[in-house]
Amino acid sequence: MSMTKRIGVLSLVFLWFPAATRAQSAADDYKKSCAMCHTIGGGPLAGPDLAGMSDRRERSWLIRFIVDPQAVVGSGDTTAKAMVDEYKGMIMPALPGMTHERAAALVDYVRERSSGKSDQPASSPKREMNPVTAEDVERGRELFVGVQPLEAHGAACLACHDTKGLESMGGGRLGPNLTSVYERLGGRQGLESWLSAPPTPLMSSLYRTRPLSAREITAFIAFFEARPPREAVSTGMRHGAFSMLGLLGTGLLLGVFHLLWRGRRRGVRAKLVQAYRLRGVQ
Amino acid sequence: MNVRSQVAMVFHLDKCIGCHTCSVACKNIWTDRKGAEYMWWNNVETKPGTGYPTRWEDQEDYQGGWEVVGGKLRLKSTSKSKIVFNIFHNPHMPSMDDYYQPWTYDYETLFNAPEGEDQPVARPISKVTGELVQIESGPNWDDDLGGSQVYADNDPNLEGLSEEQRAQLSSVERLVMFYLPRICNHCLNPSCVASCPSGAMYKRGEDGIVLVDQNRCRAWRSCVSACPYKKVYYNWFAGKAEKCILCYPRLETGQAPACFHSCVGRIRYLGVLLYDADRIEEVALKPDSELAEAHRSLILDPHDPLVAAAARANGIDEAVIESARKSPVYKFVKEWGLALPPHVEYRTFPMLFYVPPLSPVMSTRAGSEAISHGSPSLFHDIDESRIPVQYLANLFGAGEEDGVRYALRKQKAVRWWRRARTVGDVDEATALRMLDEADCTPEQAEAIYQLTTLCSFEERFVIPPMHREEAIAMVQDPREAQASMGFGFSTGTGRSI
Ligand code: SF4
Ligand code: SF4
């Protein structure tokens, strides 16, 4: 091989390589950041179906939106507003570490896939629609409330989320209420992709290093799918119980303090006056 | 023998007219500040009465002072282990109501009130909360037996008095009261100092004045409950404990403390005592009945060359020893045995002594019988005086009547002696016999008379040279301090927790 040829091949490799990695990383990125809420041609999940999005929207708008959805919605953009309304007020979460370049690569990737040029499967194969078993539902409940620990030792859902129909005090109020999460995220598929890589900053920071296993995800899906409809359960009792317990606890604590310091002295003067008044009345 | 010097005091209760000039003088100088409005470093109580704060003498309630438990001296209010649990909540504090809610008046309305049907009035406003208040008590609410049935009847010193004696105290024509001016006693064995978890309280070496270091005080308030005389106060605004400082800036410049200086009845005496610090613990462990006498035995005779030598060896200046020899307090307490410590049973060994009041004895008997010269018991009327001896003994003798009786007899004998000399309605032989029975000589009687009635400023207040410069030089080289200070920085006493 002549020197020139060798240089030619090498430069070809160098020229081709970055492009290949870019495509590669966009595919990865899509899987990690987008796939739990979106499909390309598979119908809407928690977010819209992305097929043909480049035809529907300006490229620059798409990139801007991906980099900071909140800002675009906040800027009063009508398209974005309409979308928020369509998705019941849900705004796409900001993706950690999203840059202009990554967004551009993602837009390109989606466009390529929509046109069917990509040789990769359009999305993960649809879950077989097995009817969920009562066992799965029960396991999901146990995982949710933390009776059974998660395999990777992640925090139980109950710590931050509530869902109607839980016994006693219910769950935390930090995260959103998950009663209708099944419908909100677009059913089984949406839930599955969301749970396999939670995209919100808080969830991802908690579960990136402690991912849920496939078995656990199945159990959660079963649990959320079997949630009774919103109206069927009332939470009034539970909130009442919570306040009651708070009051009771306070009372108990005060009681303990009183016992501990029952020997403390109180004023005497008022008592003297009181005793005198009582005598005066008799 | 470990000789120390102490600036000590005598209040002659027979002379107090209850004018509160002392309290006002003190208030104007020291406690006219935010957070200190309710403090009366000097207060004057009417006895019988409950005092300020209400019933401060009831240590079952307030838990002040020391107690002997298993042959050991122990603070009543706290201990090293108890304080761990009570450090954020001292359970024996006087309440605001026990002192009183300090107030002023809404004078503005007198000028600004809109025209209306009624005369505008200046309503009372709390100096703590700034809100309108209903005044329910004050620091001398029971002055001159005001509200007797509430206050005088609940005087803790009435303990041990028969029902009849109690009833007589307030019966018509036998009604009796006297005044008890009080300041910090600058005790020899101060429980306030012992209780402080921050080590912020100390007894000055050169004069025994008990002080609170405002920079080290951490507001634990242990001293407030530990002082049985309730003479440490908590400044709720500054977050520090405060107490009588015996006007040390005045003492250091040779002036009597403000309350002494302003005293209208000239009841106050001040001078140095030398005492033996090594014996304090031994004396504090004595039973109640021997306490008063033992307390007095701590005080050393400055004329004794051995004592003077030991004092010198301890670094006490010659001028201070000389001052101790002239001390009016030494005379009243030691030489004459007239002045007694208040509530010695608290075992803090107060360095403020009281001459118990004799006043109403003279009028207990009707007509000529009052001067029944030939009576074999010339002092019988002391027992029939309006103020029961038992009552005075509860106040000044841990319940033991002997000390009080001795002081009263001697006072009475001096009166008779002077009566024989000036009025002449008592014959001299009887007067001499009384003096003799009261353990007094004519010379001593004259001296007592002199110091009680005709005393000058210099005789009442024998202030030793404080030699602060020497005390300071022991800690800091004055030349170095002078060179390093420049214009100097003074630190305020704000909250520093
Ligand atoms: S009277 Fe109270 S404050 Fe004063 S030294 Fe004695 S214990 Fe301390
Ligand atoms: S100023 Fe003197 S006489 Fe007047 S109340 Fe005070 S101690 Fe008594």
Side-chain angles (χ1 to χ4, degrees):
Chain A
M1 208 188 271
S2 79
M3 190 63 175
T4 1
K5 260 189 190 166
R6 241 188 280 170
I7 290 173
V9 170
L10 264 180
S11 48
L12 243 175
V13 169
F14 282 151
L15 282 173
W16 173 80
F17 195 69
T21 36
R22 190 164 173 259
Q24 191 63 40
S25 65
D28 269 358
D29 212 2
Y30 178 84
K31 236 190 270 166
K32 272 200 221 121
S33 312
C34 316
M36 46 277 182
C37 299
H38 300 282
T39 63
I40 304 173
L45 297 176
D49 186 341
L50 300 181
M53 77 174 177
S54 296
D55 305 333
R56 275 177 280 138
R57 306 256 197 278
E58 296 250 334
R59 183 182 156 82
S60 64
W61 185 92
L62 283 170
I63 294 174
R64 242 187 332 124
F65 190 83
I66 295 170
V67 170
D68 194 349
Q70 198 78 45
V72 177
V73 174
S75 74
D77 186 291
T78 43
T79 329
K81 272 264 165 66
M83 217 157 61
V84 172
D85 289 344
E86 192 184 336
Y87 283 88
K88 301 170 195 123
M90 248 191 5
I91 301 174
M92 181 169 130
L95 299 163
M98 183 52 66
T99 59
H100 194 276
E101 285 73 41
R102 268 175 72 196
L106 281 171
V107 172
D108 290 343
Y109 174 78
V110 172
R111 198 190 47 222
E112 225 167 86
R113 287 260 312 268
S114 333
S115 58
K117 270 187 216 155
S118 170
D119 48 359
Q120 287 182 20
S123 67
S124 42
K126 294 229 161 189
R127 291 185 70 78
E128 349 65 84
M129 298 298 269
N130 283 345
V132 293
T133 63
E135 222 172 282
D136 283 338
V137 176
E138 177 54 21
R139 208 153 50 79
R141 196 192 63 79
E142 283 177 359
L143 289 168
F144 187 94
V145 300
V147 178
Q148 260 189 45
L150 293 174
E151 279 167 38
H153 303 294
C157 317
L158 185 82
C160 303
H161 295 284
D162 193 13
T163 169
K164 291 197 178 178
L166 288 183
E167 309 84 351
S168 66
M169 312 303 307
R173 309 279 194 274
L174 183 65
N177 188 305
L178 298 181
T179 308
S180 54
V181 71
Y182 186 80
E183 296 95 67
R184 247 193 305 139
L185 290 186
R188 292 187 177 192
Q189 207 185 343
L191 259 179
E192 182 184 17
S193 38
W194 177 281
L195 288 174
S196 50
T200 56
L202 200 64
M203 289 279 282
S204 83
S205 73
L206 282 171
Y207 292 95
R208 200 179 42 235
T209 51
R210 301 184 170 95
L212 303 173
S213 72
R215 249 167 63 89
E216 284 167 349
I217 292 174
T218 314
F220 280 133
I221 292 173
F223 174 64
F224 287 126
E225 194 176 316
R227 281 311 46 222
R230 221 166 221 286
E231 309 74 44
V233 246
S234 99
T235 47
M237 255 305 280
R238 249 173 33 201
H239 289 296
F242 194 76
S243 322
M244 281 311 290
L245 213 74
L247 273 175
L248 214 76
T250 312
L252 212 75
L253 217 64
L254 287 177
V256 169
F257 287 161
H258 174 72
L259 268 181
L260 268 174
W261 281 291
R262 65 189 174 283
R264 72 188 180 277
R265 80 169 293 283
R266 291 155 195 152
V268 291
R269 198 201 60 87
K271 275 186 237 159
L272 295 186
V273 176
Q274 186 67 18
Y276 170 69
R277 291 220 176 106
L278 285 178
R279 256 190 289 138
V281 168
Q282 277 162 10
Chain B
M1 195 160 26
N2 180 2
V3 181
R4 306 255 177 102
S5 61
Q6 165 85 38
V7 173
M9 306 151 270
V10 165
F11 288 4
H12 199 309
L13 294 186
D14 241 0
K15 297 170 74 182
C16 180
I17 59 171
C19 61
H20 299 271
T21 310
C22 44
S23 303
V24 173
C26 176
K27 169 120 299 227
N28 280 340
I29 298 183
W30 300 117
T31 58
D32 200 8
R33 292 166 288 125
K34 188 164 182 184
E37 301 95 344
Y38 81 94
M39 296 178 198
W40 292 87
W41 292 357
N42 182 110
N43 74 304
V44 183
E45 292 168 9
T46 300
K47 287 283 165 189
T50 49
Y52 158 84
T54 311
R55 275 177 73 82
W56 60 269
E57 289 154 297
D58 180 359
Q59 302 312 335
E60 283 309 302
D61 187 19
Y62 282 99
Q63 301 279 312
W66 302 92
E67 60 186 352
V68 179
V69 178
K72 282 226 169 75
L73 205 57
R74 219 184 61 171
L75 282 174
K76 262 181 114 113
S77 62
T78 191
S79 67
K80 274 186 181 146
S81 55
K82 268 198 235 163
I83 208 153
V84 174
F85 297 102
N86 291 328
I87 191 121
F88 293 113
H89 173 82
N90 192 336
H92 308 300
M93 292 289 291
S95 69
M96 167 128 69
D97 186 57
D98 291 331
Y99 292 112
Y100 73 112
Q101 170 120 273
W103 75 88
T104 179
Y105 292 94
D106 172 20
Y107 295 109
E108 287 277 290
T109 40
L110 296 183
F111 303 99
N112 301 340
E115 199 179 327
E117 294 286 300
D118 310 305
Q119 281 282 2
V121 284
R123 287 175 298 172
I125 298 176
S126 164
K127 280 195 150 188
V128 177
T129 62
E131 316 261 302
L132 293 174
V133 280
Q134 186 75 36
I135 303 171
E136 282 181 7
S137 71
N140 58 338
W141 202 243
D142 57 343
D143 210 20
D144 293 345
L145 296 181
S148 289
Q149 286 129 316
V150 175
Y151 300 104
D153 283 0
N154 282 297
D155 185 330
N157 298 304
L158 296 175
E159 169 117 12
L161 262 61
S162 68
E163 274 306 314
E164 193 197 341
Q165 278 174 311
R166 283 176 194 237
Q168 277 185 350
L169 275 175
S170 55
S171 65
V172 182
E173 295 209 341
R174 273 196 68 100
L175 187 84
V176 68
M177 66 181 182
F178 64 96
Y179 301 105
L180 184 73
R182 302 203 299 123
I183 66 173
C184 165
N185 302 302
H186 298 279
C187 307
L188 284 192
N189 185 27
S191 49
C192 56
V193 175
S195 75
C196 179
S198 305
M201 293 195 72
Y202 61 103
K203 190 168 173 65
R204 279 216 311 200
E206 64 271 36
D207 51 20
I209 295 175
V210 175
L211 296 171
V212 183
D213 182 336
Q214 294 290 304
N215 287 323
R216 293 177 78 180
C217 174
R218 289 291 174 271
W220 301 126
R221 286 170 265 183
S222 296
C223 51
V224 178
S225 49
C227 169
Y229 303 93
K230 289 292 160 282
K231 278 296 170 190
V232 195
Y233 303 86
Y234 177 67
N235 183 319
W236 53 266
F237 180 67
K240 308 279 177 183
E242 293 181 8
K243 63 181 287 300
C244 160
I245 57 174
L246 203 57
C247 287
Y248 70 80
R250 289 175 61 94
L251 283 178
E252 284 166 15
T253 49
Q255 307 169 75
C259 55
F260 287 69
H261 193 118
S262 62
C263 179
V264 174
R266 302 180 182 181
I267 79 156
R268 299 181 177 218
Y269 301 82
L270 181 137
V272 177
L273 292 181
L274 299 179
Y275 67 96
D276 185 358
D278 277 348
R279 287 189 54 233
I280 290 178
E281 191 176 2
E282 166 210 325
V283 167
L285 292 172
K286 293 244 153 87
D288 278 2
S289 54
E290 295 166 29
L291 265 181
E293 211 30 66
H295 179 15
R296 196 176 272 159
S297 76
L298 282 173
I299 300 161
L300 302 169
D301 180 1
H303 305 283
D304 182 341
L306 276 177
V307 171
R312 257 176 247 120
N314 251 5
I316 297 174
D317 196 90
E318 196 58 52
V320 176
I321 301 172
E322 192 45 47
S323 167
R325 291 186 184 126
K326 297 200 201 101
S327 168
V329 178
Y330 183 78
K331 290 183 187 133
F332 271 114
V333 177
K334 259 310 241 209
E335 277 181 21
W336 305 335
L338 283 181
L340 303 160
H343 289 295
V344 71
E345 71 273 17
Y346 303 159
R347 290 164 212 272
T348 62
F349 299 143
M351 280 288 112
L352 161 55
F353 301 83
Y354 292 92
V355 177
L358 181 67
S359 318
V361 166
M362 299 284 285
S363 49
T364 53
R365 310 287 290 176
S368 61
E369 233 191 303
I371 18 178
S372 52
H373 316 309
S375 161
S377 164
L378 292 167
F379 300 100
H380 65 290
D381 45 1
I382 283 179
D383 280 313
E384 287 173 28
S385 78
R386 292 190 184 190
I387 308 172
V389 178
Q390 180 65 48
Y391 179 88
L392 291 176
N394 285 344
L395 239 177
F396 301 117
E400 287 300 311
E401 293 184 4
D402 295 352
V404 173
R405 204 179 289 277
Y406 180 90
L408 292 179
R409 283 162 69 112
K410 195 176 264 193
Q411 282 188 81
K412 190 178 177 204
V414 172
R415 282 198 190 184
W416 251 237
W417 166 253
R418 285 303 304 169
R419 216 178 162 89
R421 305 285 308 268
T422 53
V423 185
D425 61 346
V426 181
D427 69 85
E428 193 143 338
T430 315
L432 274 170
R433 217 180 96 212
M434 283 182 83
L435 280 183
D436 193 44
E437 281 179 29
D439 186 29
C440 193
T441 61
E443 295 74 46
Q444 197 181 76
E446 283 303 320
I448 291 172
Y449 162 69
Q450 197 72 28
L451 197 57
T452 304
T453 58
L454 304 172
C455 44
S456 68
F457 236 70
E458 286 69 32
E459 284 163 327
R460 275 183 282 147
F461 313 129
V462 181
I463 300 164
M466 289 286 176
H467 293 297
R468 276 303 288 164
E469 66 288 352
E470 282 173 24
I472 293 167
M474 286 200 290
V475 193
Q476 194 175 28
D477 180 348
R479 274 160 307 180
E480 195 182 290
Q482 184 250 357
S484 64
M485 291 304 272
F487 278 130
F489 300 95
S490 70
T491 45
T493 54
R495 277 189 182 272
S496 62
I497 302 163

